[in-house]
Amino acid sequence: MSGHSKWSTIKHKKAKVDSQRAVVFQKYSRELIVAARLGGPDPAGNFRLRTAIEKAKAAGLPNDNIKRAIEKGAGAGSADNYEELTYEGYAAGGVAVVVEAMTDNRNRTAGDIRSFFTKYNGSLGATGCVGWMFDQRGVITFSEDDTDFEKLFEAAINLDALDVTEDDGEYKVLTTVENFQNVVEGLEKEGFKSVSAELSRIPQNTVEVTDEKTADQILKLLDKLEEHDDVQNVYANFDISDEILQKLEG
């Protein structure tokens, strides 16, 4: 299983706990603010904002919070000046890590992220050092229980999607970044209801981690990065066996 899938699975297991934390709500609020600022407050004409609203609602962000964040981004309130930044580096064992952040203080964010890499036997690198190891893709997820695979596959391919895969009780439609919106909206018109739709980074190859200590350092680093207020997304190309994961969880 790829690092992307493995880490996604681990994050999903934590979702019920994490969804109650203020830091998670803040991440969604930031995305709403930036999306509204860049494309306007109307989700009908702002695809990024529409997907941000759907993700925020799925995570349990209250409607009032969503409304305030959109108004902030549209200039109705005092909006912080967030900028989007990407950090790249290596975790223990040579695992590639890409961190996407939104921050109003790049010096603070860079310092914090660098310290996390150092603490867990990794190193923050220059921009571009590992980003090339990941393909940027649109990922549209559907529940197996509610979706006919053959019909989904046919509709997705007709919309020029790249692939449709099965993973842990879900079907995933993969697209190019450029064709992401077209496929999402096309599948909606065909009557398919997605669980989620987001842009992601999928590793081209994975690093197999067989040492328990190294695996522990990798997972602790990713946890610290995910918990940081300014970090929106974290991607890594590790492959850790279920056996080692179970030992670490125990």
Side-chain angles (χ1 to χ4, degrees):
M1 185 182 287
S2 72
H4 168 80
S5 297
K6 186 78 75 173
W7 183 232
S8 295
T9 301
I10 294 167
K11 286 194 291 184
H12 288 159
K13 288 179 181 177
K14 297 165 52 188
K16 287 187 178 179
V17 176
D18 285 352
S19 67
Q20 302 305 315
R21 295 169 51 199
V23 64
V24 174
F25 283 177
Q26 185 173 338
K27 292 177 193 292
Y28 288 111
S29 294
R30 268 182 205 194
E31 172 61 20
L32 290 164
I33 290 169
V34 172
R37 179 184 297 149
L38 294 176
D42 181 8
N46 183 343
F47 179 72
R48 178 172 174 175
L49 178 60
R50 181 158 69 87
T51 55
I53 291 172
E54 290 172 358
K55 287 173 68 176
K57 285 183 175 179
L61 190 66
N63 287 333
D64 286 347
N65 295 47
I66 293 174
K67 182 180 177 182
R68 280 197 298 271
I70 294 172
E71 289 174 347
K72 238 184 169 184
S78 57
D80 299 308
N81 187 28
Y82 294 122
E83 59 178 323
E84 297 179 277
L85 299 171
T86 302
Y87 301 92
E88 303 177 30
Y90 290 94
V95 167
V97 180
V98 177
V99 182
E100 294 175 346
M102 283 186 194
T103 179
D104 56 358
N105 186 331
R106 61 164 57 205
N107 291 332
R108 176 196 66 218
T109 305
D112 289 347
I113 290 176
R114 187 181 301 279
S115 71
F116 295 154
F117 273 90
T118 301
K119 181 176 182 179
Y120 295 106
N121 197 29
S123 60
L124 188 63
T127 300
C129 68
V130 301
W132 59 273
M133 300 180 189
F134 298 78
D135 292 322
Q136 290 190 286
R137 293 285 183 256
V139 182
I140 313 160
T141 304
F142 299 85
S143 169
E144 280 188 4
D145 297 334
D146 305 327
T147 310
D148 183 301
F149 179 82
E150 295 300 329
K151 291 180 179 178
L152 176 65
F153 184 87
E154 182 179 0
I157 297 305
N158 285 339
L159 290 164
D160 294 326
L162 296 174
D163 198 5
V164 183
T165 64
E166 184 178 357
D167 180 23
D168 197 26
E170 296 176 327
Y171 300 132
K172 296 183 183 294
V173 176
L174 303 181
T175 78
T176 62
V177 173
E178 296 77 15
N179 197 30
F180 177 55
Q181 179 175 350
N182 178 60
V183 176
V184 171
E185 294 178 344
L187 290 175
E188 285 177 354
K189 288 178 182 176
E190 292 290 329
F192 295 98
K193 177 63 177 175
S194 65
V195 175
S196 65
E198 61 187 353
L199 293 175
S200 186
R201 297 175 188 258
I202 299 177
Q204 298 168 1
N205 298 290
T206 56
V207 176
E208 185 176 2
V209 180
T210 57
D211 176 68
E212 196 172 317
K213 180 181 178 182
T214 301
D216 187 48
Q217 290 175 326
I218 293 168
L219 295 180
K220 283 179 176 175
L221 168 61
L222 299 183
D223 265 339
K224 291 296 289 185
L225 290 168
E226 287 273 359
E227 289 170 2
H228 194 281
D229 287 353
D230 299 338
V231 172
Q232 296 295 110
N233 298 296
V234 180
Y235 306 98
N237 71 339
F238 65 88
D239 185 358
I240 299 174
S241 70
D242 291 334
E243 182 183 358
I244 291 179
L245 284 175
Q246 287 169 3
K247 286 182 181 178
L248 295 176
E249 287 175 358

